[in-house]
């Protein structure tokens, strides 16, 4: 899901011919919307200019230190993963330094990343500087302070690792925009088909066993949906069969292992995935199977790539990454998390969603369309609230291109050219100085005029929700696509069911959701 740093984001494209006509399916009656973008508008400035007469903040030295080489980063890594845990690691440093901006080390550290030193930005005011590509460079920072071997991506530096200043960035991003535009009419019908299969599986297993893993069904439905919607290929009908999700999970582990906690014994996990990179050769055959599937399925997109001056091989590796790592990964993380928050919100919210969704569909001739979804303000707000409270891309990085000044709510800090900036997004999007009841899931938060004003603080896509991806930025090119398919999940869920019950556990990539009951639609 996003051209950001870390655990799964979405697609990233751009560049549209000036002769391209606006999509007839995209509505403009409300600012809250999602569609497969055809022509991204010019973005607004990423950093707001202080209002005239605003109180001048004090200039302060950035607190914190990095400790003794090797020892300091190693201690911070143990605290981050085991002794404190991720959130407490950051909270304790905020309390210690009485500042949301401070210096620290970020995993993995020795011996995978050469330089783990960062300036952490943990509030909603300082965080957006990470989107400003005039101030920060994004080259090779997708996964943070280290970069996985390009042997995992066919020897190519994939789009996610390119800075907008690099010539290939625009061409590869344009290719992904072409993919989204050319296949937009397939998104809703293919989602409905794939997730109808998911709900049938859940119902059958709940009836037989009293529970069903949402993750397992979601992984297969998500991969089938993306393959059908983007490439017109149904994986079970190919040599790949139903192996896609498991192959992707293994391949992704080799890239993200250094920043994941798998639940293994501490020192086994430290030695196995946090200290030395896993050898790419161990996943070479698995990756080749995925590559063969995408190469055989994406001929028309490869044709377009050649027109843009991109080889078919490089295009295929980028299409694979965008689909499997970004889009599939985003669905794998965000869909269970969203289900968790909606499930915990209770039957009152469920009833309101079911009533709104079914009413809007009935008023549009009984068919789900973009127009019908525009008439579902609560549903749209619920999706944005899930993206706010637990964004699928928690970590963001950028390296200062020049000496810059960064403002938090309380002070101004000077950052030197070349320093690494790091932002932990859940703290920025749960900033109590921006959001009322910031730690609570408030389904109607983004409804109405005042609610829509808060969308500029929803940052999951490597940019504010009120802005759009362009060739010159790193905002997720599939931003609207990700929001659309998240809305589709909520719509399809409450078309079928009045309510549902779940049990929530933990997984390496977010929530592990088990469905324990599904109450069929009664009206």
């Amino acid at each position: 899901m996003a051209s950001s740093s870390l655990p799964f984001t979405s697609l990233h494209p751009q560049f549209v011919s000036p002769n391209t006509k606006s999509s007839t399916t995209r509505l403009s009656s409300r600012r809250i919307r999602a569609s497969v973008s055809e022509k991204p508008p010019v973005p607004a400035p990423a950093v707001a200019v202080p209002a005239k007469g605003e109180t001048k903040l004090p200039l302060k030295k950035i607190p914190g230190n990095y400790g003794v080489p090797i020892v300091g980063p190693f201690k911070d890594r143990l605290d981050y993963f085991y002794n404190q845990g991720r959130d407490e690691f950051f909270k304790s440093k905020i309390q210690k330094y009485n500042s949301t901006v401070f210096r620290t080390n970020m995993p993995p550290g020795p011996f995978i990343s050469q330089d783990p030193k960062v300036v952490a930005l943990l509030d909603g005011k300082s965080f957006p500087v990470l989107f400003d590509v005039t101030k920060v460079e994004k080259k090779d920072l997708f996964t943070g302070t280290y970069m996985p071997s390009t042997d995992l991506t066919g020897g190519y530096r994939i789009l996610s690792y390119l800075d907008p200043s690099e010539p290939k960035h625009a061409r590869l991003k344009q290719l992904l925009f072409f993919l989204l535009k050319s296949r937009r009419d397939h998104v809703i019908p293919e989602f409905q088909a794939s997730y109808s299969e998911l709900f049938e599986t859940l119902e059958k297993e709940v009836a037989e066993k009293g529970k069903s893993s949402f993750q397992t069904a979601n992984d297969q439905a998500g991969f089938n949906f993306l393959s059908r919607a983007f490439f017109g290929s149904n994986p079970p009908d190919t040599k790949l069969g139903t192996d896609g999700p498991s192959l992707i999970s293994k391949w992704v582990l080799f890239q993200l292992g250094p920043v994941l906690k798998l639940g293994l014994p501490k020192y086994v996990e430290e030695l196995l995935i946090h200290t030395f990179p896993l050898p790419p050769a161990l996943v070479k055959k698995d990756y080749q199977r995925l590559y063969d599937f995408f190469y055989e399925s994406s001929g028309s997109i490869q044709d377009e790539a050649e027109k843009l001056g991109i080889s078919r091989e490089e295009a295929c590796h980028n299409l694979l990454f965008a689909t499997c790592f970004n889009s599939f990964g985003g669905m794998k993380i965000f869909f269970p998390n969203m289900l968790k928050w909606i499930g915990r919100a209770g039957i009152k919210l469920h009833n309101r969603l079911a009533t709104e969704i079914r009413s809007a569909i009935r008023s549009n001739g009984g068919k789900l369309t973009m127009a019908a979804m525009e008439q579902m303000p609560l549903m749209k707000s619920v999706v944005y609230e899930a993206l706010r409270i637990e964004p699928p891309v928690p970590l963001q990085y950028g390296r200062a291109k020049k000496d810059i000044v960064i403002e938090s709510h309380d002070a101004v800090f000077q950052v030197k050219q070349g320093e690494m900036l790091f932002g932990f997004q859940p703290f920025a999007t749960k900033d109590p100085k921006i959001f009322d009841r910031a730690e609570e899931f408030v389904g109607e938060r983004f409804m109405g005029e005042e609610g829509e004003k808060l969308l500029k603080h929803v940052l999951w896509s490597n940019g504010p929700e009120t802005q759009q991806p362009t060739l010159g930025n790193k905002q997720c090119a599939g931003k609207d696509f990700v929001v659309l398919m998240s809305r589709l999940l909520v719509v399809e869920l409450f078309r079928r069911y009045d309510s549902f019950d779940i049990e929530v556990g933990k997984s390496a990539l977010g929530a592990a959701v088990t469905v324990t009951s599904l109450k069929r639609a009664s009206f």
Side-chain angles (χ1 to χ4, degrees):
M1 287 163 65
S3 171
S4 326
S5 299
L6 251 225
F8 302 115
T9 37
S10 79
L11 300 166
H12 321 261
Q14 267 165 306
F15 198 101
V16 182
S17 166
N19 296 323
T20 300
K21 295 182 181 179
S22 299
S23 170
T24 57
T25 60
R26 185 157 187 166
L27 302 181
S28 58
S29 58
R30 294 181 61 84
R31 285 183 293 167
I32 296 183
R33 63 188 186 276
S35 64
V36 181
S37 299
E38 187 169 325
K39 184 175 180 179
V42 177
V47 181
V49 178
K52 186 176 181 181
E54 183 177 332
T55 302
K56 188 173 182 179
L57 297 170
L59 176 64
K60 293 185 178 180
K61 179 182 177 182
I62 301 174
N65 62 77
Y66 304 113
V68 178
I70 299 182
V71 176
F74 182 68
K75 179 182 181 303
D76 280 340
R77 186 169 79 198
L78 292 179
D79 287 343
Y80 180 91
F81 286 121
Y82 312 106
N83 300 335
Q84 294 175 307
R86 185 183 64 180
D87 287 17
E88 188 57 36
F89 175 79
F90 296 127
K91 289 178 182 177
S92 66
K93 288 184 182 289
I94 289 174
Q95 294 171 352
K96 178 179 180 180
Y97 301 124
N98 192 30
S99 175
T100 53
V101 177
F102 53 82
R103 298 184 183 280
T104 188
N105 297 291
M106 277 298 291
F111 297 96
I112 293 177
S113 60
Q114 294 182 338
D115 186 2
K117 300 173 185 176
V118 302
V119 175
L121 312 175
L122 303 184
D123 62 80
K125 189 173 182 181
S126 63
F127 188 92
V129 73
L130 291 162
F131 308 145
D132 189 344
V133 294
T134 67
K135 295 181 178 179
V136 299
E137 182 184 68
K138 294 286 192 173
K139 184 178 181 179
D140 297 338
L141 302 182
F142 180 65
T143 44
T145 61
Y146 77 104
M147 181 180 172
S149 170
T150 56
D151 288 344
L152 292 164
T153 50
Y156 292 95
R157 288 175 61 235
I158 297 301
L159 174 61
S160 294
Y161 293 95
L162 300 181
D163 185 77
S165 63
E166 298 181 74
K168 279 189 178 180
H169 181 275
R171 283 180 281 163
L172 288 169
K173 205 167 186 182
Q174 179 181 356
L175 179 65
L176 294 184
F177 271 124
F178 173 82
L179 171 66
L180 289 166
K181 173 187 170 184
S182 64
R183 299 292 298 180
R184 66 175 182 264
D185 293 337
H186 299 272
V187 173
I188 291 179
E190 293 297 355
F191 190 95
Q192 291 180 309
S194 297
Y195 277 78
S196 289
E197 296 169 8
L198 173 142
F199 288 120
E200 289 170 6
T201 298
L202 294 181
E203 283 190 32
K204 182 179 178 181
E205 291 190 355
V206 168
E208 293 176 352
K209 306 174 185 176
K211 61 182 181 179
S212 179
S213 168
F214 178 78
Q215 266 79 355
T216 302
N218 181 57
D219 283 359
Q220 194 64 59
F223 184 68
N224 289 348
F225 157 65
L226 293 169
S227 300
R228 295 167 181 171
F230 286 163
F231 309 108
S233 181
N234 187 35
D237 296 336
T238 70
K239 294 178 182 178
L240 191 62
T242 58
D243 293 341
S246 61
L247 297 178
I248 295 168
S249 296
K250 183 177 178 182
W251 170 66
V252 168
L253 173 63
F254 276 61
Q255 297 172 75
L256 294 184
V259 291
L260 295 180
K261 184 179 178 182
L262 302 181
L264 301 173
K266 178 166 68 173
Y267 292 109
V268 172
E269 194 167 80
E270 276 293 289
L271 183 62
L272 183 64
I273 63 173
H274 294 159
T275 304
F276 304 101
L278 293 168
L282 296 179
V283 77
K284 184 176 181 180
K285 289 184 179 179
D286 296 325
Y287 183 75
Q288 187 64 46
R289 287 188 65 195
L290 289 170
Y291 179 85
D292 291 343
F293 169 76
F294 280 93
Y295 194 86
E296 292 168 6
S297 303
S298 60
S300 62
I301 312 300
Q302 294 173 40
D303 292 341
E304 180 67 18
E306 289 188 317
K307 295 176 185 177
L308 296 170
I310 305 167
S311 72
R312 299 180 80 86
E313 181 181 4
E314 183 171 11
C316 188
H317 287 294
N318 274 274
L319 292 170
L320 189 163
F321 194 93
T323 305
C324 297
F325 193 111
N326 297 139
S327 296
F328 173 79
M331 297 171 77
K332 185 179 179 67
I333 294 174
F334 183 62
F335 278 15
N337 285 346
M338 183 167 64
L339 206 66
K340 173 187 72 176
W341 288 106
I342 295 174
R344 287 176 172 175
I347 195 166
K348 184 177 179 181
L349 177 65
H350 297 179
N351 286 339
R352 291 174 63 195
L353 284 167
T355 300
E356 177 187 83
I357 288 167
R358 294 171 201 173
S359 175
I361 293 173
R362 281 196 296 267
S363 66
N364 283 268
K367 185 177 181 181
L368 178 60
T369 61
M370 294 298 296
M373 284 193 285
E374 286 301 314
Q375 298 169 20
M376 304 175 188
L378 177 60
M379 178 278 293
K380 293 188 289 183
S381 178
V382 162
V383 170
Y384 284 133
E385 178 68 343
L387 287 165
R388 177 198 73 86
I389 200 166
E390 195 165 8
V393 185
L395 314 181
Q396 298 276 0
Y397 290 86
R399 191 176 297 279
K401 288 184 174 181
K402 55 188 176 182
D403 292 354
I404 58 176
V405 172
I406 295 175
E407 290 187 9
S408 69
H409 292 296
D410 306 311
V412 175
F413 304 92
Q414 291 182 328
V415 172
K416 297 294 184 183
Q417 180 180 355
E419 288 196 276
M420 180 79 87
L421 303 176
F422 157 76
F424 184 55
Q425 188 175 156
F427 279 23
T429 55
K430 290 188 287 187
D431 187 333
K433 293 187 178 181
I434 293 175
F435 292 102
D436 183 40
R437 298 159 61 194
E439 297 288 337
E440 296 180 36
F441 182 85
V442 181
E444 62 274 11
R445 186 184 298 276
F446 297 101
M447 292 176 67
E449 185 176 350
E450 291 303 310
E452 290 189 12
K453 289 179 181 178
L454 290 171
L455 284 174
K456 65 183 179 182
H457 302 294
V458 177
L459 312 172
W460 71 272
S461 64
N462 202 14
E465 191 61 34
T466 50
Q467 295 180 18
Q468 292 294 322
T470 69
L471 286 177
N473 66 22
K474 287 299 288 182
Q475 189 165 20
C476 170
K479 167 178 167 284
D480 285 347
F481 170 74
V482 172
V483 173
L484 173 58
M485 61 182 187
S486 300
R487 291 178 177 180
L488 287 170
L489 178 64
V490 178
V491 169
E492 292 302 319
L493 177 63
F494 286 102
R495 286 181 77 176
R496 288 172 169 79
Y497 309 108
D498 289 342
S499 186
F500 62 96
D501 294 313
I502 57 174
E503 295 174 351
V504 180
K506 292 183 178 180
S507 75
L509 294 174
V513 173
T514 300
V515 178
T516 57
S517 76
L518 293 163
K519 299 177 178 64
R520 268 286 186 177
S522 60
F523 61 90

